[in-house]
Amino acid sequence: MTDQSKTTPAVAAAEFEDDRPVQTAPGEFPPEIQAPLAPFEGEPPQAPAWFSKAIAEEPERSFVESLGSRIEVLTWGEVGKPGLLLVHGNSAHADWWSFIAPFFAKDFRVASMSLAGMGASDWRESYAFQDFAEDAEAVARATGLYEGGRKPIYIGHSFGGSQVFYAASKFPERMHAAILVDTGFGGPPPKEREEMERRMAQVRNIPTADRPKRVYPTLKAALARFRFMPPQAAGNLYVADFIARRSLKRAPLEDGSGEGWTWMFDPAMWNKLDRSAMNALVTEGPPEVLTPVAHIYGEQSQVIARRQEGHPSPLPADMVEIAIPDANHHVMVDQPLALVAALRSLLAVWPS
Protein backbone atom coordinates (compact mmCIF):
# COMPACT_ATOMS: atom_id res chain seq x y z
CA MET A 1 0.00 0.00 0.00
CA THR A 2 1.07 3.57 -0.55
CA ASP A 3 1.35 6.13 2.21
CA GLN A 4 -2.06 7.85 2.23
CA SER A 5 -0.43 11.20 3.01
CA LYS A 6 1.22 11.08 -0.43
CA THR A 7 -1.97 10.25 -2.28
CA THR A 8 -4.01 13.14 -3.66
CA PRO A 9 -7.72 12.45 -4.02
CA ALA A 10 -9.22 13.24 -7.40
CA VAL A 11 -11.83 15.88 -6.59
CA ALA A 12 -14.25 17.36 -9.09
CA ALA A 13 -17.24 19.67 -8.94
CA ALA A 14 -19.55 16.79 -9.75
CA GLU A 15 -19.05 13.16 -8.82
CA PHE A 16 -20.97 10.02 -7.98
CA GLU A 17 -22.76 9.78 -4.66
CA ASP A 18 -20.51 9.84 -1.61
CA ASP A 19 -21.08 6.80 0.59
CA ARG A 20 -17.58 6.66 2.02
CA PRO A 21 -17.27 5.53 5.65
CA VAL A 22 -16.70 8.39 8.10
CA GLN A 23 -16.19 8.62 11.85
CA THR A 24 -19.24 9.76 13.81
CA ALA A 25 -19.52 10.81 17.42
CA PRO A 26 -21.81 8.96 19.85
CA GLY A 27 -25.27 10.48 19.72
CA GLU A 28 -24.69 12.14 16.36
CA PHE A 29 -27.44 9.99 14.86
CA PRO A 30 -30.43 8.26 16.49
CA PRO A 31 -29.59 4.78 17.89
CA GLU A 32 -31.41 2.98 15.07
CA ILE A 33 -29.00 4.66 12.61
CA GLN A 34 -25.83 4.96 14.71
CA ALA A 35 -25.79 1.39 16.04
CA PRO A 36 -28.73 -0.69 14.77
CA LEU A 37 -27.32 -4.03 15.96
CA ALA A 38 -26.18 -2.95 19.44
CA PRO A 39 -29.42 -3.98 21.22
CA PHE A 40 -28.87 -7.61 20.17
CA GLU A 41 -25.53 -7.79 22.06
CA GLY A 42 -23.86 -9.98 19.46
CA GLU A 43 -26.80 -12.32 18.88
CA PRO A 44 -28.45 -12.53 15.45
CA PRO A 45 -31.98 -11.09 15.15
CA GLN A 46 -34.79 -13.49 14.30
CA ALA A 47 -35.11 -13.98 10.54
CA PRO A 48 -38.10 -15.10 8.46
CA ALA A 49 -38.15 -18.51 6.79
CA TRP A 50 -37.60 -17.16 3.28
CA PHE A 51 -34.35 -15.50 4.35
CA SER A 52 -33.03 -18.57 6.16
CA LYS A 53 -33.83 -20.70 3.11
CA ALA A 54 -32.12 -18.25 0.76
CA ILE A 55 -28.83 -18.02 2.67
CA ALA A 56 -28.85 -21.82 3.11
CA GLU A 57 -28.23 -22.01 -0.65
CA GLU A 58 -24.51 -21.54 -0.16
CA PRO A 59 -22.62 -20.24 -3.19
CA GLU A 60 -19.38 -21.63 -4.51
CA ARG A 61 -16.64 -19.34 -3.21
CA SER A 62 -13.51 -18.74 -5.23
CA PHE A 63 -11.07 -16.11 -6.47
CA VAL A 64 -10.40 -14.75 -9.96
CA GLU A 65 -7.05 -13.24 -10.89
CA SER A 66 -7.27 -9.75 -12.40
CA LEU A 67 -4.56 -7.13 -12.87
CA GLY A 68 -2.34 -8.97 -10.41
CA SER A 69 -5.01 -9.09 -7.68
CA ARG A 70 -7.25 -11.84 -6.34
CA ILE A 71 -10.92 -10.90 -6.70
CA GLU A 72 -13.42 -12.70 -4.45
CA VAL A 73 -16.31 -14.32 -6.35
CA LEU A 74 -19.50 -16.11 -5.25
CA THR A 75 -21.44 -18.14 -7.84
CA TRP A 76 -24.85 -19.81 -8.05
CA GLY A 77 -26.59 -21.70 -10.87
CA GLU A 78 -25.32 -23.73 -13.78
CA VAL A 79 -22.82 -22.66 -16.42
CA GLY A 80 -24.66 -22.54 -19.73
CA LYS A 81 -27.54 -20.42 -18.47
CA PRO A 82 -27.73 -16.63 -19.12
CA GLY A 83 -25.25 -14.74 -16.95
CA LEU A 84 -25.87 -12.17 -14.23
CA LEU A 85 -22.98 -10.26 -12.62
CA LEU A 86 -23.79 -8.61 -9.28
CA VAL A 87 -21.72 -5.68 -7.96
CA HIS A 88 -22.05 -4.26 -4.43
CA GLY A 89 -21.70 -0.73 -3.05
CA ASN A 90 -18.79 1.02 -1.40
CA SER A 91 -17.15 -0.64 1.64
CA ALA A 92 -19.44 -3.63 1.07
CA HIS A 93 -18.78 -7.14 -0.29
CA ALA A 94 -20.16 -9.93 -2.46
CA ASP A 95 -22.37 -11.34 0.31
CA TRP A 96 -24.63 -8.30 0.10
CA TRP A 97 -26.25 -10.30 -2.72
CA SER A 98 -26.25 -13.73 -1.02
CA PHE A 99 -29.91 -13.56 -0.01
CA ILE A 100 -30.95 -12.14 -3.42
CA ALA A 101 -28.96 -14.30 -5.85
CA PRO A 102 -30.57 -17.68 -4.95
CA PHE A 103 -33.90 -16.41 -6.34
CA PHE A 104 -32.27 -16.29 -9.80
CA ALA A 105 -30.10 -19.40 -9.68
CA LYS A 106 -32.69 -21.62 -11.39
CA ASP A 107 -32.76 -19.52 -14.56
CA PHE A 108 -29.36 -17.82 -14.56
CA ARG A 109 -25.68 -18.39 -13.92
CA VAL A 110 -25.10 -15.78 -11.20
CA ALA A 111 -21.80 -14.34 -10.00
CA SER A 112 -21.34 -11.79 -7.20
CA MET A 113 -17.92 -10.16 -6.93
CA SER A 114 -16.17 -8.24 -4.17
CA LEU A 115 -14.57 -5.16 -5.69
CA ALA A 116 -10.82 -4.77 -5.19
CA GLY A 117 -10.14 -3.35 -1.74
CA MET A 118 -13.38 -4.77 -0.35
CA GLY A 119 -14.61 -8.11 0.99
CA ALA A 120 -11.91 -10.76 0.71
CA SER A 121 -10.50 -9.24 -2.50
CA ASP A 122 -6.94 -7.90 -2.45
CA TRP A 123 -6.18 -4.30 -1.53
CA ARG A 124 -4.34 -2.23 -4.14
CA GLU A 125 -1.87 0.63 -4.20
CA SER A 126 -4.48 2.60 -6.14
CA TYR A 127 -7.99 2.11 -7.51
CA ALA A 128 -9.59 3.28 -10.76
CA PHE A 129 -12.87 2.84 -12.58
CA GLN A 130 -10.99 1.48 -15.58
CA ASP A 131 -9.52 -1.25 -13.37
CA PHE A 132 -12.87 -2.13 -11.81
CA ALA A 133 -14.26 -2.58 -15.33
CA GLU A 134 -11.41 -4.96 -16.21
CA ASP A 135 -11.99 -6.89 -12.98
CA ALA A 136 -15.68 -7.30 -13.83
CA GLU A 137 -14.86 -8.62 -17.30
CA ALA A 138 -12.31 -11.05 -15.84
CA VAL A 139 -14.92 -12.35 -13.37
CA ALA A 140 -17.58 -12.68 -16.09
CA ARG A 141 -15.22 -14.69 -18.29
CA ALA A 142 -13.86 -16.90 -15.52
CA THR A 143 -17.27 -17.80 -14.08
CA GLY A 144 -18.90 -18.74 -17.39
CA LEU A 145 -21.31 -15.81 -17.64
CA TYR A 146 -20.81 -15.71 -21.41
CA GLU A 147 -21.71 -19.38 -21.85
CA GLY A 148 -25.49 -18.92 -21.84
CA GLY A 149 -25.84 -17.88 -25.47
CA ARG A 150 -25.62 -14.13 -24.84
CA LYS A 151 -23.51 -11.57 -23.03
CA PRO A 152 -24.16 -11.17 -19.28
CA ILE A 153 -26.36 -8.59 -17.63
CA TYR A 154 -24.56 -6.46 -15.03
CA ILE A 155 -26.46 -5.39 -11.89
CA GLY A 156 -24.83 -2.87 -9.54
CA HIS A 157 -25.94 -1.18 -6.32
CA SER A 158 -24.85 2.35 -5.34
CA PHE A 159 -21.08 2.70 -5.91
CA GLY A 160 -21.25 -0.65 -7.71
CA GLY A 161 -23.90 0.85 -9.97
CA SER A 162 -21.41 3.57 -10.85
CA GLN A 163 -18.94 0.85 -11.84
CA VAL A 164 -21.60 -0.88 -13.94
CA PHE A 165 -22.62 2.34 -15.65
CA TYR A 166 -19.01 3.21 -16.45
CA ALA A 167 -18.45 -0.24 -17.98
CA ALA A 168 -21.76 -0.01 -19.87
CA SER A 169 -20.81 3.32 -21.42
CA LYS A 170 -17.21 2.40 -22.26
CA PHE A 171 -17.55 -1.30 -23.13
CA PRO A 172 -21.06 -1.99 -24.52
CA GLU A 173 -19.69 -5.08 -26.27
CA ARG A 174 -19.20 -6.74 -22.89
CA MET A 175 -22.78 -6.82 -21.63
CA HIS A 176 -26.32 -7.50 -22.76
CA ALA A 177 -27.79 -4.83 -20.47
CA ALA A 178 -27.08 -2.92 -17.25
CA ILE A 179 -29.34 -2.58 -14.22
CA LEU A 180 -28.48 0.06 -11.64
CA VAL A 181 -29.86 -0.14 -8.11
CA ASP A 182 -30.17 3.24 -6.40
CA THR A 183 -27.23 4.80 -8.18
CA GLY A 184 -26.89 8.57 -8.12
CA PHE A 185 -24.48 11.26 -9.24
CA GLY A 186 -23.89 14.59 -7.61
CA GLY A 187 -22.36 13.97 -4.19
CA PRO A 188 -23.48 15.32 -0.82
CA PRO A 189 -24.50 18.94 -0.12
CA PRO A 190 -21.55 21.39 0.29
CA LYS A 191 -21.73 21.58 4.10
CA GLU A 192 -21.94 17.80 4.43
CA ARG A 193 -19.00 17.40 2.02
CA GLU A 194 -16.94 19.94 3.99
CA GLU A 195 -17.58 18.05 7.22
CA MET A 196 -16.63 14.73 5.61
CA GLU A 197 -13.37 16.19 4.33
CA ARG A 198 -12.61 17.64 7.78
CA ARG A 199 -13.06 14.23 9.37
CA MET A 200 -10.97 12.49 6.75
CA ALA A 201 -8.18 15.01 7.34
CA GLN A 202 -8.14 14.04 11.02
CA VAL A 203 -7.38 10.38 10.27
CA ARG A 204 -3.98 9.30 11.60
CA ASN A 205 -2.09 6.00 11.76
CA ILE A 206 -2.94 5.09 8.19
CA PRO A 207 -3.84 1.37 8.12
CA THR A 208 -2.20 -1.31 6.03
CA ALA A 209 -3.39 -4.80 5.10
CA ASP A 210 -1.59 -6.28 8.10
CA ARG A 211 -2.30 -3.39 10.51
CA PRO A 212 -5.96 -2.32 10.37
CA LYS A 213 -7.00 1.07 11.70
CA ARG A 214 -9.36 -0.20 14.39
CA VAL A 215 -9.63 -3.63 15.94
CA TYR A 216 -12.55 -4.47 18.24
CA PRO A 217 -11.87 -6.94 21.07
CA THR A 218 -15.03 -8.99 20.49
CA LEU A 219 -17.49 -9.75 17.71
CA LYS A 220 -20.20 -8.21 19.88
CA ALA A 221 -18.29 -4.92 20.08
CA ALA A 222 -17.68 -4.87 16.34
CA LEU A 223 -21.31 -5.58 15.44
CA ALA A 224 -22.39 -2.77 17.76
CA ARG A 225 -20.38 -0.36 15.60
CA PHE A 226 -21.93 -1.41 12.29
CA ARG A 227 -23.92 1.27 10.45
CA PHE A 228 -24.86 2.16 6.91
CA MET A 229 -23.45 4.91 4.72
CA PRO A 230 -25.13 7.09 3.64
CA PRO A 231 -26.73 7.07 7.11
CA GLN A 232 -30.08 5.32 7.32
CA ALA A 233 -31.95 2.99 9.63
CA ALA A 234 -31.79 -0.71 8.80
CA GLY A 235 -35.10 -1.68 7.27
CA ASN A 236 -34.66 -5.34 8.24
CA LEU A 237 -32.25 -5.98 11.09
CA TYR A 238 -31.72 -9.64 10.19
CA VAL A 239 -30.36 -8.49 6.82
CA ALA A 240 -28.13 -5.90 8.48
CA ASP A 241 -26.77 -8.53 10.87
CA PHE A 242 -26.04 -10.97 8.04
CA ILE A 243 -24.18 -8.28 6.11
CA ALA A 244 -22.30 -7.01 9.16
CA ARG A 245 -20.97 -10.42 10.21
CA ARG A 246 -19.57 -10.96 6.72
CA SER A 247 -17.99 -7.50 6.73
CA LEU A 248 -15.52 -8.48 9.48
CA LYS A 249 -12.24 -10.39 9.66
CA ARG A 250 -9.90 -11.43 12.46
CA ALA A 251 -6.91 -9.18 13.19
CA PRO A 252 -4.29 -8.80 15.95
CA LEU A 253 -5.29 -6.52 18.81
CA GLU A 254 -3.26 -3.34 19.01
CA ASP A 255 -1.87 -4.21 22.45
CA GLY A 256 -0.65 -7.60 21.25
CA SER A 257 -2.87 -9.51 23.67
CA GLY A 258 -4.57 -11.65 21.02
CA GLU A 259 -6.98 -11.33 18.12
CA GLY A 260 -10.03 -9.16 17.63
CA TRP A 261 -12.23 -8.10 14.75
CA THR A 262 -11.89 -5.39 12.11
CA TRP A 263 -13.65 -4.35 8.91
CA MET A 264 -12.56 -6.06 5.70
CA PHE A 265 -12.54 -3.04 3.37
CA ASP A 266 -9.51 -0.87 2.69
CA PRO A 267 -10.27 2.30 4.71
CA ALA A 268 -7.85 4.32 2.56
CA MET A 269 -9.66 3.43 -0.68
CA TRP A 270 -11.34 6.79 -1.10
CA ASN A 271 -7.97 8.54 -0.88
CA LYS A 272 -6.44 6.10 -3.37
CA LEU A 273 -9.33 6.20 -5.86
CA ASP A 274 -8.83 7.93 -9.20
CA ARG A 275 -12.30 9.25 -10.01
CA SER A 276 -11.34 11.26 -13.08
CA ALA A 277 -12.70 8.80 -15.65
CA MET A 278 -16.07 8.60 -13.91
CA ASN A 279 -16.29 12.32 -13.23
CA ALA A 280 -15.72 12.98 -16.93
CA LEU A 281 -18.98 11.19 -17.71
CA VAL A 282 -20.76 13.76 -15.53
CA THR A 283 -18.88 16.97 -16.32
CA GLU A 284 -18.44 16.49 -20.08
CA GLY A 285 -22.14 16.03 -20.78
CA PRO A 286 -24.27 12.90 -21.09
CA PRO A 287 -22.29 10.12 -22.79
CA GLU A 288 -23.62 8.08 -25.66
CA VAL A 289 -24.71 4.84 -23.99
CA LEU A 290 -25.38 1.97 -26.38
CA THR A 291 -26.07 -0.54 -23.62
CA PRO A 292 -29.72 -0.78 -22.48
CA VAL A 293 -29.87 0.71 -18.96
CA ALA A 294 -32.55 0.37 -16.30
CA HIS A 295 -32.68 1.82 -12.81
CA ILE A 296 -34.36 0.46 -9.67
CA TYR A 297 -34.34 2.85 -6.73
CA GLY A 298 -35.67 3.36 -3.23
CA GLU A 299 -38.55 5.81 -3.20
CA GLN A 300 -37.17 7.44 -0.02
CA SER A 301 -33.52 7.42 -1.07
CA GLN A 302 -31.30 10.42 -0.33
CA VAL A 303 -29.30 9.59 -3.45
CA ILE A 304 -32.35 9.93 -5.66
CA ALA A 305 -33.40 13.11 -3.86
CA ARG A 306 -30.09 14.71 -4.85
CA ARG A 307 -30.67 13.80 -8.48
CA GLN A 308 -34.18 15.23 -8.36
CA GLU A 309 -32.70 18.46 -7.00
CA GLY A 310 -30.90 18.90 -10.30
CA HIS A 311 -27.39 17.56 -9.63
CA PRO A 312 -25.58 16.60 -12.85
CA SER A 313 -26.23 13.04 -13.99
CA PRO A 314 -24.97 11.06 -16.99
CA LEU A 315 -27.87 8.59 -16.82
CA PRO A 316 -29.94 8.30 -20.02
CA ALA A 317 -33.15 10.34 -19.86
CA ASP A 318 -35.16 7.55 -21.48
CA MET A 319 -33.98 4.65 -19.31
CA VAL A 320 -36.47 2.35 -17.61
CA GLU A 321 -36.97 3.27 -13.93
CA ILE A 322 -38.73 1.36 -11.14
CA ALA A 323 -39.37 2.83 -7.68
CA ILE A 324 -39.45 0.55 -4.64
CA PRO A 325 -41.91 1.92 -2.03
CA ASP A 326 -40.81 2.19 1.62
CA ALA A 327 -37.16 1.79 0.67
CA ASN A 328 -34.18 4.03 1.27
CA HIS A 329 -30.80 3.82 -0.45
CA HIS A 330 -29.97 0.26 0.63
CA VAL A 331 -32.92 -1.30 -1.15
CA MET A 332 -31.91 -4.92 -0.50
CA VAL A 333 -31.88 -4.20 3.24
CA ASP A 334 -35.16 -2.31 3.35
CA GLN A 335 -37.22 -4.26 0.82
CA PRO A 336 -35.32 -7.39 -0.31
CA LEU A 337 -38.32 -9.28 -1.67
CA ALA A 338 -39.60 -6.21 -3.50
CA LEU A 339 -36.17 -5.88 -5.11
CA VAL A 340 -36.30 -9.54 -6.15
CA ALA A 341 -39.76 -9.01 -7.64
CA ALA A 342 -38.64 -5.88 -9.52
CA LEU A 343 -35.58 -7.65 -10.93
CA ARG A 344 -37.58 -10.71 -11.92
CA SER A 345 -40.20 -8.60 -13.69
CA LEU A 346 -37.57 -6.56 -15.48
CA LEU A 347 -35.51 -9.55 -16.60
CA ALA A 348 -38.63 -11.28 -17.92
CA VAL A 349 -39.46 -8.57 -20.47
CA TRP A 350 -36.41 -6.30 -20.79
CA PRO A 351 -34.50 -5.54 -22.85
CA SER A 352 -36.92 -6.43 -25.62
Side-chain angles (χ1 to χ4, degrees), residues 38-192:
F40 297 95
E41 299 187 334
E43 295 297 319
Q46 185 175 359
W50 76 261
F51 184 82
S52 299
K53 182 179 179 181
I55 61 175
E57 295 188 35
E58 276 285 339
E60 179 181 346
R61 296 175 182 269
S62 61
F63 290 89
V64 170
E65 187 82 11
S66 177
L67 303 177
S69 300
R70 294 198 321 157
I71 303 299
E72 181 185 27
V73 182
L74 282 56
T75 52
W76 296 259
E78 299 175 5
V79 174
K81 294 181 177 179
L84 296 180
L85 178 64
L86 309 178
V87 189
H88 60 78
N90 186 46
S91 305
H93 48 77
D95 270 304
W96 274 63
W97 293 102
S98 283
F99 49 93
I100 302 292
F103 287 95
F104 300 90
K106 180 180 178 181
D107 300 314
F108 295 90
R109 170 66 170 173
V110 186
S112 178
M113 63 183 291
S114 289
L115 294 169
M118 304 180 217
S121 293
D122 287 345
W123 295 9
R124 286 175 173 163
E125 297 284 337
S126 62
Y127 303 93
F129 278 78
Q130 304 93 310
D131 294 343
F132 287 134
E134 295 307 316
D135 296 341
E137 170 71 354
V139 168
R141 293 286 179 187
T143 56
L145 299 191
Y146 281 92
E147 303 303 315
R150 73 178 190 196
K151 294 174 288 187
I153 293 177
Y154 284 33
I155 303 174
H157 171 240
S158 188
F159 182 72
S162 300
Q163 316 301 331
V164 168
F165 182 74
Y166 176 84
S169 63
K170 293 296 184 181
F171 308 106
E173 71 279 3
R174 294 182 179 178
M175 66 185 78
H176 183 61
I179 300 175
L180 315 181
V181 179
D182 214 84
T183 299
F185 302 81
K191 289 185 178 180
E192 185 177 321

Side-chain angles (χ1 to χ4, degrees), residues 219-266:
L219 180 61
K220 172 184 171 181
L223 291 172
R225 293 291 295 171
F226 178 81
R227 58 184 174 272
F228 293 106
M229 291 301 297
Q232 71 163 76
N236 288 292
L237 290 165
Y238 58 89
V239 177
D241 179 83
F242 175 86
I243 288 170
R245 289 175 189 273
R246 287 154 183 79
S247 301
L248 292 159
K249 64 181 178 181
R250 301 306 299 266
L253 291 168
E254 296 175 358
D255 61 6
S257 62
E259 281 194 327
W261 298 86
T262 193
W263 306 112
M264 297 181 76
F265 63 83
D266 180 353

